[in-house]
Amino acid sequence: MIRVDALYRYPVKGFTPERRESLVIQDDGRVQGDRSLVFRFADAVEPEDATFPKSRGLALMTFPTLARVDLAFDDEARTLRLRVDDIDVTADLSDAGRTRLAEAVTAYLRTTGDARLLDADGILPLGLLGDGRTARFQDRPQGFISLHGAASVEAVDAVVTAPVDDRRFRSNIVVSGTAPWAELDWAGRVRIGEVVFEVQKPIERCAAITANPDTGVRDARLLRVLTGEFGQDEATLGILLLPAAAGGEIRVGDEVTPLSPA
């Protein structure tokens, strides 16, 4: 039986996830509270729509050492906690709080191998955008829910020397009970708990997956592994989903059922 093995929310775009016991799927195809904050570059203005390209703010794709930063957002207190090395900052989303958090991230990056990237034109000072509620800083106009099978990640881990786990692939939903790569063959609809999704397309991966989530070091050429070891035309792992009608809540342990195309 296929079941939800793990659920993740990414309160700050481009940073580490929060593991959750449940996720609220909005009708528009976004996870409630997912990518609701972003550290933008100085020359990036706040977008009018619900997209924000990675190139306009901090993201693992460019700053792999961000993988070491532990972030947790408190939905009730409206505070963000940032912890890494000797930095431990908790602040609200007031102007002063946003400044403290941006300065803490900058201070950390200054100690890493990514420090030189901060000196490019238009990067500093960083700013923190978002209200912590509205999922609006995804890469695409439609939010999309991301899913992969744990067995697919295990297949990748088996052919590389560096440790590879689900965190590298930054999906919202991880499922167990499938054969490796089986989710790439799903078409039409899939039911997760009480929510029915339309399968959209496979996920083409970027350099973010090469960063070790514990060390922040690029220690595995996973894009090359996916195309070389597994014969893919494009480096692909996981699929994108949208609600077929309405959203709802999904939980760890929910049954996952691929359905016939509508």
Side-chain angles (χ1 to χ4, degrees):
M1 182 179 294
I2 307 172
R3 292 197 177 276
V4 174
D5 188 60
L7 295 170
Y8 296 96
R9 184 181 76 166
Y10 300 81
V12 181
K13 180 184 179 71
F15 280 71
T16 51
E18 295 177 332
R19 190 157 180 161
R20 312 280 288 189
E21 288 302 308
S22 65
L23 294 177
V24 175
I25 309 300
Q26 300 175 173
D27 293 348
D28 66 358
R30 300 171 190 267
V31 171
Q32 190 176 90
D34 192 69
R35 279 88 170 182
S36 62
L37 296 164
V38 64
F39 284 99
R40 61 145 178 87
F41 296 147
D43 63 0
V45 298
E46 184 162 3
E48 296 181 359
D49 58 10
T51 60
F52 195 88
K54 294 185 183 75
S55 59
R56 296 170 64 185
L58 293 182
L60 273 170
M61 181 178 70
T62 309
F63 292 80
T65 55
L66 292 175
R68 296 189 56 239
V69 180
D70 178 37
L71 290 181
F73 186 71
D74 188 318
D75 294 279
E76 293 186 7
R78 320 297 301 154
T79 58
L80 180 66
R81 185 178 185 183
L82 181 157
R83 291 180 292 176
V84 60
D85 297 335
D86 60 351
I87 296 173
D88 189 344
V89 175
T90 300
D92 60 21
L93 299 182
S94 64
D95 288 345
R98 291 171 191 266
T99 298
R100 284 186 64 208
L101 291 162
E103 289 177 346
V105 171
T106 302
Y108 163 66
L109 287 173
R110 283 294 187 196
T111 70
T112 73
D114 294 332
R116 59 182 176 77
L117 300 174
L118 297 175
D119 296 325
D121 290 342
I123 302 298
L124 295 179
L126 300 173
L128 181 60
L129 299 181
D131 60 9
R133 295 188 179 92
T134 308
R136 59 171 304 204
F137 297 118
Q138 280 81 2
D139 296 333
R140 307 170 181 88
Q142 288 180 292
F144 294 112
I145 311 301
S146 52
L147 175 150
H148 73 252
S152 300
V153 173
E154 291 167 3
V156 175
D157 181 52
V159 300
V160 297
T161 56
V164 175
D165 62 36
D166 294 319
R167 295 174 297 165
R168 288 200 189 235
F169 298 93
R170 303 179 60 75
S171 293
N172 297 120
I173 305 169
V174 180
V175 300
S176 60
T178 63
W181 314 110
E183 67 273 18
L184 297 181
D185 295 327
W186 294 355
R189 296 184 171 190
V190 57
R191 182 188 301 278
I192 303 177
E194 298 301 317
V195 182
V196 176
F197 295 89
E198 295 274 5
V199 178
Q200 301 298 303
K201 60 181 180 178
I203 303 173
E204 294 181 8
R205 294 297 177 170
C206 69
I209 66 174
T210 66
N212 184 305
D214 294 314
T215 67
V217 174
R218 296 193 192 278
D219 62 354
R221 296 182 176 181
L222 295 185
L223 299 177
R224 184 177 298 179
V225 169
L226 290 171
T227 55
E229 294 289 337
F230 297 100
Q232 299 179 356
D233 293 331
E234 300 289 341
T236 302
L237 192 144
I239 56 175
L240 296 174
L241 308 172
L242 285 174
E249 189 170 10
I250 60 175
R251 301 172 179 82
V252 172
D254 277 351
E255 185 174 351
V256 178
T257 307
L259 306 172
S260 300

